[in-house]
Amino acid sequence: MTVNTRAVYAPLLALAAVGGLLASFLGVPATWVLLWVCLLLPLLGLVARWSPVRSGAAAASLGVAAVALWPLPLMWEAASWLEACGAAAFWALPALGALAAGGYLRRQASRMRQAVRDGRRDQQLELARDLHDFVAHDVSAIVVQAQAARFVADKDPEQAVRALERIEAAGLGALASMDRTVHALREAAGARSASVPGTSELPGLVERFEGGVLEADPAAVRGLSREADTTAYRVAVEALTNVRRHAPGAGLVRVRLHRAAGGIELSVANSAPARGAGGLRGLGLRRRSGTGLAGLRARVEAAGGTLRAGASPDGGWRVCAVFPAQEQPLG
């Protein structure tokens, strides 16, 4: 139920209560007034459940008064003052019961929300403690191993190499701990936790693209850092999207990931679209190069790479990103 819908209940109840009281004192038949009272009761419950406190309290007071006082015009001549008070108290009971039911549901919902907030806070605190314990342990190990490697590097290079291997293992462990903690924190905050896509998902991406061909060197995939891996996937997604948008008639789109002289190269090249097929001569990123290409280039450069885009000799378009190859594990 939206906030705008909830805000309607209080003024609706106030309007119905005032209109009903006027109808009762103006001599409207008792059957119609009784039907109006029966409609007011669920409206009282809705106000108690959903309306803001101030407007809800004012509207609820009018509603209870309207339900309690509706029989009084029928009793002016035949009933005493005490009987009129008894009738008003009797009819006030269902109105108060409707308010109590709505208030109970409101309180239960509030307690549930508070319990969820408390649970999330406790989980976040526990995750923060785990992050400190595990990451601090790994970082301390890195510092100790780095100090040891510095002292033995000149006398025993083999020991220094083993120390570097332990530093690498501790660093990878710290990164894994932080990843798990960040994902858990996102889940605790109500966000969907999902792994960031990388080049491992390129086969599925290219398979969904009509005319797409993938050539991926496994050694090149292993040579990408985590940031470069996700950025390379994003480059492929953007390039393929722009080919589909601006060169729908391209017969072939080739995605290559391989080792090159400058590092690890990802290229997306499309052939020229068939004559009359529409598109912009395969301009994968040319027409919107002002913002899209600039943003993509900034992302690639942030990962330590370079990005080039331009027309190919066959009349198509080629996007090429080159990332530095990370050093292979020692040993």
Side-chain angles (χ1 to χ4, degrees), residues 181-277:
T181 303
V182 169
H183 291 163
L185 286 172
R186 285 174 56 83
E187 291 178 352
R192 185 178 63 180
S193 178
S195 59
V196 180
T199 55
S200 61
E201 299 186 26
L202 279 178
L205 174 68
V206 177
E207 184 181 355
R208 294 192 300 269
F209 195 90
E210 184 178 357
V213 176
L214 174 65
E215 299 176 7
D217 181 4
V221 174
R222 292 193 296 270
L224 289 171
S225 65
R226 288 194 311 163
E227 184 180 7
D229 186 72
T230 58
T231 304
Y233 178 81
R234 176 50 55 188
V235 171
V237 170
E238 292 293 336
L240 291 174
T241 300
N242 280 279
V243 170
R244 179 171 291 166
R245 180 180 301 154
H246 301 303
L252 177 65
V253 181
R254 187 181 301 276
V255 181
R256 292 190 65 203
L257 181 62
H258 61 99
R259 283 187 174 272
I264 308 299
E265 180 180 295
L266 171 79
S267 63
V268 181
N270 63 276
S271 61
R275 187 178 300 275

Side-chain angles (χ1 to χ4, degrees), residues 58-257:
S61 300
L62 285 174
V64 172
V67 173
L69 299 178
W70 82 268
L72 295 187
L74 305 176
M75 304 173 61
W76 288 130
E77 297 179 357
S80 64
W81 179 83
L82 186 60
E83 290 173 337
C85 291
F90 174 82
W91 281 102
L93 290 177
L96 294 176
L99 286 178
Y104 174 78
L105 294 176
R106 186 189 192 108
R107 181 170 177 270
Q108 290 298 104
S110 177
R111 293 179 62 181
M112 184 177 299
R113 288 193 298 268
Q114 185 61 43
V116 170
R117 286 194 295 267
D118 292 342
R120 286 178 177 173
R121 185 180 66 251
D122 294 341
Q123 185 179 9
Q124 289 169 349
L125 291 175
E126 182 178 357
L127 290 170
R129 288 192 296 268
D130 291 343
L131 178 64
H132 175 269
D133 293 341
F134 293 125
V135 176
H137 173 76
D138 290 331
V139 172
S140 299
I142 290 172
V143 173
V144 171
Q145 294 296 334
Q147 291 173 341
R150 186 181 63 181
F151 286 115
V152 302
D154 295 334
K155 300 178 181 179
D156 192 348
E158 185 177 350
Q159 289 291 336
V161 170
R162 285 198 286 269
L164 291 175
E165 292 175 349
R166 290 190 289 269
I167 288 173
E168 180 189 20
L172 292 174
L175 288 174
S177 296
M178 285 190 289
D179 285 344
R180 289 193 298 269
T181 303
V182 169
H183 291 163
L185 286 172
R186 285 174 56 83
E187 291 178 352
R192 185 178 63 180
S193 178
S195 59
V196 180
T199 55
S200 61
E201 299 186 26
L202 279 178
L205 174 68
V206 177
E207 184 181 355
R208 294 192 300 269
F209 195 90
E210 184 178 357
V213 176
L214 174 65
E215 299 176 7
D217 181 4
V221 174
R222 292 193 296 270
L224 289 171
S225 65
R226 288 194 311 163
E227 184 180 7
D229 186 72
T230 58
T231 304
Y233 178 81
R234 176 50 55 188
V235 171
V237 170
E238 292 293 336
L240 291 174
T241 300
N242 280 279
V243 170
R244 179 171 291 166
R245 180 180 301 154
H246 301 303
L252 177 65
V253 181
R254 187 181 301 276
V255 181
R256 292 190 65 203
L257 181 62

